[in-house]
């Protein structure tokens, strides 16, 4: 009896500590991502701990997640192209496929040395985007890695930078605004030349004498529901399909902004937002999109 009891206790203790380990294991680029284009310009280094994308005159490069996710708290640390990055765009986004796809975008528009990057965000639902918000950052995103996060649950999408929320897109389906919630999405990233529009609206061109341009990625973490062959890891309790898919803590599935986070978001929007589609009445002569008026 006694030893039985003890082994049960140690089993539980083992299970608990495993659970904690599972939650703490960071992603690995070899395990979690495929390089999809760039002919050797994308590299996975340090046994999967680091990924670099590069861009030269001939081509950019990109990668995508092996998994498809339907909701998640997804973090990535990115260090952007340093120096004269004018004309370059580093895109980091979630997307499903097809004409009525959903998409959640971060895009980083490069600039001349010392001039600010623009962080461009957008949300597509059922193929419809046109929901741009743009920000300057409160730090130099090329000097070090910073964490860019997407919280996507059935009620809301929250974009965060180093834990500070910068944008929230709420589920307003009850008011007739479609919301991404049925189509699983992959994570994509790419570094490419967009000097026809990216920097000062296309006035500043890419200076190829500075190529190759490089952006780096590390510490990917997805606390997310993985969809594979029609089954969702979040609906089958305690069957973690990958080490970084921690099904034992799904707090993020109903997470919302508390008053402190809301205040911080308002501060960022007040000080650093440089474009908001919801404030662009000229662009919508028929009236602002519904989500802007609620
Ligand atoms: C680049 O710098 C200029 C001048 O400061 C600024 O107007 C612009 O918003 C910056 N960012 C981009 C991506 O053009």
């Amino acid at each position: 009896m006694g030893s039985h009891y003890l082994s049960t206790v140690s089993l539980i203790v083992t299970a608990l500590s495993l659970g904690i380990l599972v939650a703490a294991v960071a992603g690995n680029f070899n395990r979690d991502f495929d390089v999809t284009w760039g002919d050797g310009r994308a590299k996975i280094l340090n046994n999967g701990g680091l990924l670099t994308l590069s861009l030269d005159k001939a081509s950019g490069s990109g990668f995508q997640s092996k998994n498809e996710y339907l909701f998640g708290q997804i973090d990535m640390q990115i260090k952007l192209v340093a120096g004269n990055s004018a004309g370059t765009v580093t895109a980091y986004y979630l997307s499903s496929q097809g004409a009525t796809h959903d998409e959640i975008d971060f895009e980083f528009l490069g600039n001349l040395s010392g001039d600010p990057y623009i962080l461009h965000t957008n949300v597509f639902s059922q193929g419809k985007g046109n929901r741009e918000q743009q920000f300057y950052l409160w730090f130099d995103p090329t000097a070090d890695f910073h964490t860019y996060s997407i919280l996507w649950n059935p009620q809301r999408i929250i974009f965060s930078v180093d834990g500070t929320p910068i944008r929230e897109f709420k589920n307003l389906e009850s008011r007739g605004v479609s919301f991404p919630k049925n189509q699983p999405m992959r994570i994509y990233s790419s570094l490419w030349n967009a000097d026809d529009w990216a920097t000062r609206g296309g006035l500043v061109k890419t200076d190829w004498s500075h190529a190759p341009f490089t952006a780096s990625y590390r510490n990917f973490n997805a606390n997310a529901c993985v969809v594979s062959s029609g089954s969702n890891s979040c609906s089958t309790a305690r069957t973690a399909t990958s080490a970084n898919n921690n099904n034992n803590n799904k707090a993020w599935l109903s997470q919302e902004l508390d008053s402190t986070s809301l205040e911080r978001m308002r501060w960022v929007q007040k000080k650093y937002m440089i474009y908001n589609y919801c404030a662009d009445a000229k662009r919508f002569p028929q009236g602002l999109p519904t989500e802007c008026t609620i």
Side-chain angles (χ1 to χ4, degrees):
M1 244 343 203
S3 69
H4 221 102
Y5 169 76
L6 267 183
S7 64
T8 309
V9 167
S10 68
L11 254 180
I12 291 169
V13 169
T14 310
L16 280 176
S17 51
L18 270 178
I20 289 159
L21 276 176
V22 162
V25 170
N28 178 293
F29 287 105
N30 284 316
R31 187 193 59 206
D32 298 326
F33 292 92
D34 288 317
V35 165
T36 43
W37 62 287
D39 198 17
R41 288 175 183 80
K43 293 191 176 70
I44 297 178
L45 306 163
N46 302 355
N47 290 318
L50 180 73
L51 188 152
T52 59
L53 289 183
S54 80
L55 161 71
D56 56 41
K57 202 164 185 181
S59 178
S61 52
F63 63 93
Q64 70 183 45
S65 63
K66 295 190 200 269
N67 284 329
E68 288 188 289
Y69 305 94
L70 189 63
F71 306 126
Q73 162 70 52
I74 295 170
D75 307 322
M76 182 75 89
Q77 291 195 334
I78 309 176
K79 188 173 163 181
L80 294 165
V81 174
N84 181 352
S85 59
T88 73
V89 170
T90 305
Y92 171 70
Y93 57 106
L94 297 179
S95 185
S96 61
Q97 293 184 356
T100 57
H101 75 292
D102 298 329
E103 192 175 316
I104 304 169
D105 288 336
F106 276 117
E107 284 187 15
F108 302 90
L109 318 186
N111 216 334
L112 295 168
S113 299
D115 280 346
Y117 262 74
I118 289 177
L119 169 51
H120 172 101
T121 63
N122 204 353
V123 175
F124 285 69
S125 51
Q126 296 293 313
K128 189 193 156 295
N130 298 327
R131 297 193 175 105
E132 299 85 358
Q133 288 186 352
Q134 296 185 332
F135 305 82
Y136 286 147
L137 293 161
W138 50 95
F139 52 84
D140 174 0
T142 73
D144 210 339
F145 285 90
H146 290 270
T147 306
Y148 301 93
S149 307
I150 293 168
L151 170 71
W152 172 35
N153 68 31
Q155 297 83 34
R156 58 188 52 80
I157 293 163
I158 298 169
F159 295 77
S160 300
V161 176
D162 290 335
T164 295
I166 61 165
R167 174 173 188 178
E168 179 177 28
F169 182 77
K170 287 189 179 151
N171 183 336
L172 295 170
E173 283 181 313
S174 62
R175 315 292 279 268
V177 183
S178 66
F179 183 84
K181 69 163 212 295
N182 299 313
Q183 309 188 69
M185 302 205 240
R186 271 183 224 282
I187 303 165
Y188 296 86
S189 190
S190 55
L191 173 57
W192 42 290
N193 179 42
D195 66 1
D196 52 334
W197 63 273
T199 307
R200 292 190 177 211
L203 284 178
V204 186
K205 301 298 176 193
T206 304
D207 180 350
W208 295 110
S209 72
H210 292 91
F213 302 98
T214 305
S216 308
Y217 300 74
R218 70 175 192 198
N219 290 351
F220 164 69
N221 191 68
N223 214 342
C225 305
V226 175
V227 176
S228 83
S229 35
S231 94
N232 185 324
S233 67
C234 287
S235 29
T236 41
R238 300 189 64 90
T239 52
T241 53
S242 72
N244 61 329
N245 177 26
N246 170 23
N247 286 299
N248 301 328
N249 176 6
K250 288 192 243 165
W252 58 268
L253 253 174
S254 57
Q255 195 175 317
E256 55 189 332
L257 292 173
D258 60 18
S259 57
T260 314
S261 311
L262 246 169
E263 230 168 85
R264 287 168 72 198
M265 185 170 77
R266 294 209 179 103
W267 173 80
V268 170
Q269 294 186 345
K270 190 162 166 239
K271 288 201 65 161
Y272 295 99
M273 187 187 274
I274 55 168
Y275 178 79
N276 180 6
Y277 75 112
C278 281
D280 195 349
K282 270 189 292 184
R283 183 175 164 193
F284 302 102
Q286 255 66 291
L288 290 172
T290 312
E291 69 271 17
C292 299
T293 63
I294 293 169

